[in-house]
Amino acid sequence: MLKSDFASIEESWDKIKKADKPVYVYGIGDACERILDEFNKRDIVCNGIFASDSFVRDKCFRGYKIESISDIKKRHEDFLIVPAFGSSLPDVMKTMEQLNRSQSVVFTDLQIAGNVSFKKQDFLAKYDEILSIRSQFADDFSKAVFDSVFAFKISGDISFLSSAFSNSFEDLKSIIRPKSTDVYIDLGAYNGDTVLDFLTQTGGECKRIYAFEPDKRSFRKCVHRLIGVKDITFINACAWSNDDELGFSQSAGRQSKITSAGERISARSVDSVLAENKCDVIKFDVEGAEREALLGAAGTIKEYKPKLMVSAYHRPYDIIDLAALILQLNPKYKLFLRQPPYYPAWDTMIYAV
């Protein structure tokens, strides 16, 4: 896409503000709080909040009675929906697509980590830098994914994503090509699911696995799930740029993150854990601390050029900033960008090989 193509896309917040129809938020929780706060700043009228039938039950949120979508359809034939959650579940995604055909669904780009929000004007202002990074991706599909994700981030229109989706399991198989002789490091191992995905493609074995997980509850689940795996080292610590002690919120999910107000826990760098030994593959999914974790693996990346899988969706410009950092650490990498099925565009992954 050209700069003019991006410039012609109406920004999600403007689309919502200019809507000549009632505006309803779909979902409750932290994202709903942030959307309502932004509505107040932008003088956008919220006509109400609805949720899945199992969440209604005469509840209220921020002074709004939580309704079902059938309640709203009784009052309005046409209305605009602003989702306040994300999902990769096929049934939920299908429902979102159906709603987008019958009504209008507009996602807002709410950053998961940090304080910088995505803005179309900022994206266009740094477009030359963005175009330079886009050109570094090794295949046409990566560039198409790049365009689709940023068009979605501007517009909030899920139709931009339909051609960008790929199967993450197949991406792992075709791009990373796991082997039983690999030393694999999983930063953000959660409950062990991604370790098992990796092992599924190696015949169930690796030379050595290091599973980092800072959240206590997730760590316990990870150990319980993988306790029978051979040659695995469990590390209950944040992946960071150096060995340290950091504040961390223990939330057993996407809300688990490094924060000054959290409980003090250990932080480890990949370079420190490996102590100059070789590794073959590193996965980074550390809830917004990917930059620091990459810097903590800088020696390993420069010396051994392990294959990298780097989550690039927690911060608005992660695709650009993390791709640039990877090439700064080792310019010999080839980069690929993939987007698994998810509304909004979460779980975006940069593969470096």
Side-chain angles (χ1 to χ4, degrees):
M1 293 178 71
L2 301 173
K3 183 177 183 179
S4 58
D5 296 322
F6 287 114
S8 67
I9 299 172
E10 186 174 23
E11 196 164 24
S12 59
W13 292 111
D14 291 339
K15 197 182 299 185
I16 297 165
K17 186 174 178 63
K18 295 176 184 177
D20 57 353
K21 59 187 77 174
V23 174
Y24 286 86
V25 178
Y26 180 11
I28 56 177
D30 177 68
C32 184
E33 292 270 12
R34 294 166 65 193
I35 289 169
L36 292 176
D37 289 344
E38 196 67 28
F39 278 7
N40 289 335
K41 291 177 187 176
R42 295 173 181 267
D43 294 323
I44 297 172
V45 175
C46 177
N47 293 87
I49 300 172
F50 71 93
S52 302
D53 290 344
S54 59
F55 287 95
V56 177
R57 299 176 185 170
D58 297 322
K59 291 183 180 178
C60 289
F61 189 85
R62 286 273 292 257
Y64 294 90
K65 180 184 176 182
I66 309 303
E67 301 182 90
S68 69
I69 192 167
S70 57
D71 294 329
I72 297 166
K73 286 181 175 179
K74 290 175 184 176
R75 296 197 300 274
H76 309 290
E77 288 188 6
D78 191 19
F79 52 95
L80 187 146
I81 299 166
V82 182
F85 65 94
S87 181
S88 61
L89 296 174
D91 287 350
V92 177
M93 293 183 69
K94 185 177 180 180
T95 297
M96 204 64 68
E97 290 159 7
Q98 291 170 341
L99 286 173
N100 196 40
R101 287 192 292 269
S102 62
Q103 307 298 330
S104 299
V105 173
V106 180
F107 276 88
T108 58
D109 194 80
L110 299 173
Q111 73 276 13
I112 299 172
N115 299 314
V116 175
S117 58
F118 181 86
K119 295 178 181 177
K120 176 182 171 180
Q121 64 185 31
D122 295 340
F123 176 82
L124 295 174
K126 57 170 72 175
Y127 190 73
D128 289 344
E129 175 193 348
I130 289 167
L131 196 61
S132 175
I133 294 299
R134 181 187 182 276
S135 70
Q136 297 298 317
F137 287 97
D139 64 342
D140 289 339
F141 186 63
S142 294
K143 293 168 185 175
V145 172
F146 187 101
D147 292 345
S148 295
V149 169
F150 278 107
F152 169 76
K153 288 168 79 68
I154 293 171
S155 68
D157 184 351
I158 60 175
S159 64
F160 278 111
L161 295 177
S162 59
S163 63
F165 292 147
S166 61
N167 184 293
S168 56
F169 193 78
E170 291 300 320
D171 294 335
L172 175 65
K173 181 179 179 180
S174 63
I175 300 174
I176 300 299
R177 300 177 181 178
K179 302 186 299 295
S180 60
T181 55
D182 283 342
V183 175
Y184 171 56
I185 301 180
D186 193 314
L187 306 180
Y190 185 44
N191 63 8
D193 55 349
T194 47
V195 170
L196 291 178
D197 285 345
F198 197 88
L199 287 172
T200 297
Q201 301 200 27
T202 67
E205 293 185 359
C206 276
K207 184 176 180 179
R208 167 62 59 183
I209 298 170
Y210 296 89
F212 281 65
E213 176 52 50
D215 185 90
K216 289 179 180 179
R217 284 175 287 177
S218 296
F219 182 77
R220 286 195 295 269
K221 291 178 182 178
C222 183
V223 172
H224 179 75
R225 194 172 187 181
L226 302 177
I227 195 65
V229 174
K230 295 191 298 183
D231 301 314
I232 186 167
T233 300
F234 298 101
I235 301 171
N236 186 202
C238 297
W240 197 244
S241 55
N242 58 286
D243 289 357
D244 203 343
E245 191 176 83
L246 302 171
F248 186 79
S249 65
Q250 304 277 353
S251 300
R254 292 189 189 276
Q255 299 305 314
S256 290
K257 58 187 177 182
I258 294 167
T259 171
S260 58
E263 176 185 339
R264 304 298 289 180
I265 67 166
S266 295
R268 297 293 308 276
S269 73
V270 167
D271 287 345
S272 172
V273 169
L274 287 176
E276 300 185 3
N277 289 310
K278 179 180 181 291
C279 80
D280 301 285
V281 183
I282 311 175
K283 186 216 85 179
F284 299 77
D285 188 358
V286 287
E287 303 305 325
E290 283 76 16
R291 180 181 182 277
E292 289 77 12
L294 279 162
L295 292 173
T300 301
I301 289 170
K302 291 173 183 177
E303 180 69 20
Y304 299 111
K305 191 177 167 275
K307 297 174 183 179
L308 309 178
M309 300 181 286
V310 184
S311 290
Y313 68 99
H314 296 103
R315 298 173 188 270
Y317 302 100
D318 268 354
I319 292 174
I320 301 158
D321 297 339
L322 297 177
L325 178 56
I326 291 166
L327 293 174
Q328 178 186 325
L329 294 174
N330 193 325
K332 295 179 181 179
Y333 277 118
K334 289 184 177 180
L335 302 183
F336 299 85
L337 185 66
R338 296 293 185 264
Q339 176 61 58
Y342 218 125
Y343 294 144
W346 288 354
D347 285 0
T348 315
M349 187 73 74
I350 296 172
Y351 295 89
V353 299

